[in-house]
């Protein structure tokens, strides 16, 4: 048996503080509207059940700490938005995982950006069409190195921030997640069997806005990592 084309490389993310270790990506799940103030700015209120969308695994744009990643400004859009998010990396798979057991499935954490062609997503919403063209494009998931959970202290006070060209655009704490990491894993694993290598983008706080070519985005989850990306 032989492949008829070269097997695709797939998404790979470096492991923080390691000598060349990497985390191969299986799938990228994203949670929609998971901070109250962001749900409000998108025109929604109240605690709705969590909902999910996916990005292709090879949409990751891995950026080593201390480096500046280069994200190509995507085609078809005039409104590319940033969404800074805490990313959870799954090390142990499973289905129908109870929230009380969920955290042992977490291998580590990273800082990520759920980049969004907001105009195309808005049009898709209006038409009742899938979000893929707005969310699941090439290089739409810039991500910093994944740090082992045992080396991170992620709790309600953990700060998440995004600066664009040196000015703070998004700022919150992980305690403001509507659905906690454990609850997200419970809901996700009821719908899909989670696999080692899955990444979960846990949702963005308020302050999403457009960026342009030449802008520099600097994101951080305190105690987890930093990510710097320039749009080119
Ligand atoms: Mn998002």
């Amino acid at each position: 048996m032989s492949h008829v084309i070269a097997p695709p490389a797939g998404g790979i993310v470096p492991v923080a503080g390691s000598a060349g270790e990497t985390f191969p990506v299986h799938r990228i799940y994203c949670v929609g509207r998971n901070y109250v103030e962001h749900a409000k700015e998108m025109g929604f209120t109240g605690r709705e059940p969590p909902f999910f969308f996916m990005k292709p695994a090879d949409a990751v744009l891995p950026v080593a700490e201390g480096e500046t990643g280069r994200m190509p400004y995507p085609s078809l859009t005039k409104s590319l938005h940033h969404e800074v998010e805490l990313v959870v990396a799954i090390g142990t798979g499973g289905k129908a995982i109870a929230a009380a057991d969920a955290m042992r499935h977490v291998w580590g954490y990273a800082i990520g950006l759920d980049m969004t062609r907001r105009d195309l997503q808005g049009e898709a919403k209006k038409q009742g069409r899938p979000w893929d063209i707005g969310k699941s494009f090439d290089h739409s998931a810039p991500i910093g190195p994944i740090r082992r959970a045992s080396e991170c202290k992620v709790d309600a006070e953990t700060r998440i921030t995004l600066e664009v060209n040196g000015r703070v655009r998004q700022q919150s704490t992980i305690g403001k997640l509507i659905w906690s990491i454990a609850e997200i894993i419970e809901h996700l694993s009821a719908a899909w069997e989670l696999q080692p290598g899955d990444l979960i983008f846990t949702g963005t706080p308020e302050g999403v806005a457009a960026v342009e070519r030449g802008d520099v985005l600097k994101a951080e989850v305190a105690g987890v990592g930093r990510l710097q990306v320039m749009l080119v």
Side-chain angles (χ1 to χ4, degrees):
M1 197 95 104
S2 60
H3 297 303
V4 296
I5 56 166
I12 298 279
V13 182
V15 169
S18 76
E21 288 180 298
T22 58
F23 185 94
V25 181
H26 175 248
R27 288 181 187 165
I28 305 174
Y29 295 99
C30 303
V31 187
R33 297 195 286 265
N34 203 21
Y35 286 81
V36 171
E37 294 305 316
H38 172 64
K40 283 186 192 163
E41 74 184 353
M42 300 307 286
F44 294 84
T45 52
R47 196 187 202 226
E48 56 186 342
F51 67 92
F52 306 100
F53 57 91
M54 289 194 217
K55 290 177 187 267
D58 65 355
V60 287
L61 176 69
V63 183
E65 200 152 330
E67 289 182 9
T68 303
R70 294 167 68 83
M71 177 183 170
Y73 193 93
S75 61
L76 303 181
T77 186
K78 291 186 172 62
S79 183
L80 176 69
H81 272 207
H82 52 73
E83 296 192 358
V84 68
E85 309 200 3
L86 171 68
V87 181
V88 174
I90 297 294
T92 308
K95 52 185 173 183
I97 299 163
D101 292 331
M103 299 315 282
R104 68 179 183 82
H105 293 263
V106 175
W107 191 89
Y109 299 95
I111 172 77
L113 291 165
D114 165 16
M115 299 303 289
T116 303
R117 294 194 278 210
R118 190 72 74 201
D119 43 358
L120 302 187
Q121 184 203 23
E123 193 55 34
K125 280 183 185 173
K126 228 187 309 176
Q127 310 266 358
R129 290 180 180 160
W131 286 10
D132 302 52
I133 199 165
K135 286 289 196 180
S136 312
F137 53 94
D138 296 338
H139 317 297
S140 61
I143 186 169
I146 297 173
R147 191 175 297 282
R148 280 179 175 76
S150 59
E151 297 172 7
C152 302
K153 183 174 161 280
V154 175
D155 59 25
E157 308 307 316
T158 300
R159 298 179 66 77
I160 180 166
T161 39
L162 174 75
E163 290 178 10
V164 177
N165 302 331
R167 297 180 72 160
V168 176
R169 286 265 190 101
Q170 294 189 268
Q171 196 168 36
S172 195
T173 55
I174 299 307
K176 291 190 175 161
L177 281 173
I178 297 172
W179 297 95
S180 70
I181 294 162
E183 289 170 330
I184 291 166
I185 290 172
E186 176 171 309
H187 281 268
L188 255 184
S189 67
W192 293 273
E193 181 171 355
L194 291 180
Q195 301 287 347
D198 286 338
L199 299 179
I200 307 169
F201 280 63
T202 56
T204 195
E206 66 275 17
V208 301
V211 281
E212 307 292 342
R213 275 192 188 84
D215 285 350
V216 175
L217 288 70
K218 226 166 133 177
E220 181 173 12
V221 174
V224 169
R226 292 193 183 90
L227 166 64
Q228 184 157 304
V229 178
M230 180 191 262
L231 283 157
V232 296

